[in-house]
Amino acid sequence: MSSLRNAVKRVTHKERSQPTHRAHLGILEKKKDYKIRSNDYHKKQDMITNLRRKAAMKNPDEFYFGMNSSGIHEGRHRKLEEAKQKEKAAEIGKDAIKIMITQDLSYIRMQAMKDLRKIERMRSSLQYLGDNPTTMSSEDVIDKKRRHTVFVDTREKADNFDVAEHFSTVPELAGRSFNRPRKETLLKMGSNDDGYYDDHDDVNKMLSEEQMKKEKALAKKRAISLAKARSSAYSEIEARTKRLDALKNAEAHLVTEKIVASKGRKRKIKDGENGKPSVYVFRRKRAK
């Protein structure tokens, strides 16, 4: 009989729609929609009532220790970062924190040693002159006049001093402070512009005026590239020196933190200044 009952067509119950004269109000609200809206409204009203009651019964002298580790941020009470770190440290454990500090110390010391060795290698490969190329342009580095003092025996030699003859070079190259080949070297130089010497060239062949111009332009180009490379090297040394100071400061903070976490009574005698850690003094203890 149940199968026959299901076979008979039943009346389809349709939901009531919004009347035509109220169509501008949207879909007609059903009871389930009303219950959701009603519950939300009453929930908000109860919350407002509770807040008003708490504000009316508030004690102005109320205090609890959680206030020391919390503050108001955007109108809401939140825990401070120090309190969060303490809670996290308590979850991790003191032994695990000591191991982590030791690992951090080892890593920082390794990086500081690498930077120190790199700085020493770069300083040994550079020529430290009177002017710092990091504060000068490449043209200023090249065109800046440097002093080269030459001592002679008599006043007459000083008055008749010839730079090209003293350095055994041509007058066009006498004004250079570097890359100043002698006449014997110029005789051995080939006609190519790569700067290498060629013993198979004619040793009696002197440089023509056009070749001298080429050599001068090539020397100036090399000097500019050399000055740029030297300037970048000085900048890298300065950056690595600053990083080395920062690593040493971080190492000092970690060492202080490790000492403070150790056993024994201690007292702070000086707060940290200029990014440096605080200074602690330990109570004297007689060794057994």
Side-chain angles (χ1 to χ4, degrees), residues 6 50 106-107 119 124 213 227 232 243 248 267 272:
N6 294 330
N50 291 333
S106 302
Y107 177 75
I119 290 171
S124 63
K213 287 182 180 179
S232 63
R243 185 187 171 196
K248 288 182 178 179
R267 179 168 54 91

Side-chain angles (χ1 to χ4, degrees), residues 231-249:
S231 177
S232 63
Y234 275 105
S235 301
E236 185 179 353
I237 287 178
E238 187 177 357
R240 285 186 178 274
T241 305
K242 290 181 180 179
R243 185 187 171 196
L244 183 62
D245 295 338
L247 287 173
K248 288 182 178 179
N249 192 17

Side-chain angles (χ1 to χ4, degrees), residues 135-245:
T135 59
M136 303 170 59
S137 63
S138 58
E139 288 78 7
D140 294 338
V141 174
I142 297 165
D143 297 335
K144 186 157 182 74
K145 299 298 183 183
R146 301 183 181 89
R147 292 186 178 182
H148 186 168
T149 304
V150 179
F151 295 93
V152 293
D153 297 333
T154 61
R155 182 73 181 180
E156 183 180 356
K157 289 183 179 181
D159 294 337
N160 301 324
F161 183 76
D162 188 4
V163 178
E165 184 180 356
H166 178 77
F167 291 108
S168 183
T169 185
V170 293
E172 289 81 2
L173 304 179
R176 293 186 182 179
S177 59
F178 58 92
N179 193 15
R180 184 171 49 204
R182 295 178 177 272
K183 291 180 180 179
E184 296 82 3
T185 307
L186 292 174
L187 288 173
K188 293 180 180 179
M189 290 185 63
S191 59
N192 51 352
D193 295 335
D194 56 358
Y196 292 101
Y197 303 142
D198 191 359
D199 294 335
H200 299 286
D201 288 341
D202 188 7
V203 294
N204 297 322
K205 183 179 178 182
M206 294 293 292
L207 292 176
S208 63
E209 186 177 353
E210 185 179 355
Q211 289 174 335
M212 290 296 297
K213 287 182 180 179
K214 284 184 178 182
E215 178 64 24
K216 193 173 182 179
L218 185 61
K220 189 174 182 180
K221 187 176 180 181
R222 288 174 182 168
I224 291 174
S225 62
L226 179 64
K228 288 181 179 179
R230 187 166 45 191
S231 177
S232 63
Y234 275 105
S235 301
E236 185 179 353
I237 287 178
E238 187 177 357
R240 285 186 178 274
T241 305
K242 290 181 180 179
R243 185 187 171 196
L244 183 62
D245 295 338

Side-chain angles (χ1 to χ4, degrees), residues 16 20 29 70 72 76 94 110 131-132 139 143 150 157 171 187 213 219 238 246 284 286:
R16 181 186 173 189
T20 307
E29 186 181 37
S70 63
I72 298 176
R76 298 187 65 180
K94 293 183 179 180
M110 180 187 68
D131 297 311
N132 188 356
E139 288 78 7
D143 297 335
V150 179
K157 289 183 179 181
L187 288 173
K213 287 182 180 179
E238 187 177 357
R284 292 184 177 180
R286 182 179 178 183

Side-chain angles (χ1 to χ4, degrees), residues 36-196:
I36 294 173
R37 185 170 59 83
S38 175
N39 291 336
D40 182 63
Y41 172 78
H42 287 295
K43 183 179 179 181
K44 293 177 180 178
Q45 289 298 318
D46 294 340
M47 187 182 297
I48 293 173
T49 304
N50 291 333
L51 291 175
R52 285 175 179 169
R53 182 165 59 249
K54 285 183 179 180
M57 299 176 65
K58 182 182 178 181
N59 180 11
D61 299 328
E62 181 181 4
F63 173 77
Y64 58 96
F65 287 99
M67 292 180 179
N68 293 329
S69 60
S70 63
I72 298 176
H73 180 67
E74 296 180 357
R76 298 187 65 180
H77 282 278
R78 301 182 185 276
K79 286 187 178 181
L80 300 177
E81 291 296 329
E82 296 179 359
K84 292 181 180 179
Q85 290 179 1
K86 287 182 179 179
E87 289 183 357
K88 195 174 292 185
E91 292 179 2
I92 296 173
K94 293 183 179 180
D95 296 335
I97 291 176
K98 287 181 181 179
I99 295 173
M100 292 167 65
I101 292 175
T102 305
Q103 291 176 349
D104 293 343
L105 265 174
S106 302
Y107 177 75
I108 288 176
R109 285 169 179 166
M110 180 187 68
Q111 292 296 329
M113 185 60 65
K114 287 172 63 176
D115 283 352
L116 182 61
R117 290 175 180 172
K118 180 71 174 177
I119 290 171
E120 290 176 354
R121 286 198 301 269
M122 294 184 70
R123 282 178 177 171
S124 63
S125 63
L126 285 173
Q127 252 187 343
Y128 269 77
L129 303 176
D131 297 311
N132 188 356
T134 57
T135 59
M136 303 170 59
S137 63
S138 58
E139 288 78 7
D140 294 338
V141 174
I142 297 165
D143 297 335
K144 186 157 182 74
K145 299 298 183 183
R146 301 183 181 89
R147 292 186 178 182
H148 186 168
T149 304
V150 179
F151 295 93
V152 293
D153 297 333
T154 61
R155 182 73 181 180
E156 183 180 356
K157 289 183 179 181
D159 294 337
N160 301 324
F161 183 76
D162 188 4
V163 178
E165 184 180 356
H166 178 77
F167 291 108
S168 183
T169 185
V170 293
E172 289 81 2
L173 304 179
R176 293 186 182 179
S177 59
F178 58 92
N179 193 15
R180 184 171 49 204
R182 295 178 177 272
K183 291 180 180 179
E184 296 82 3
T185 307
L186 292 174
L187 288 173
K188 293 180 180 179
M189 290 185 63
S191 59
N192 51 352
D193 295 335
D194 56 358
Y196 292 101

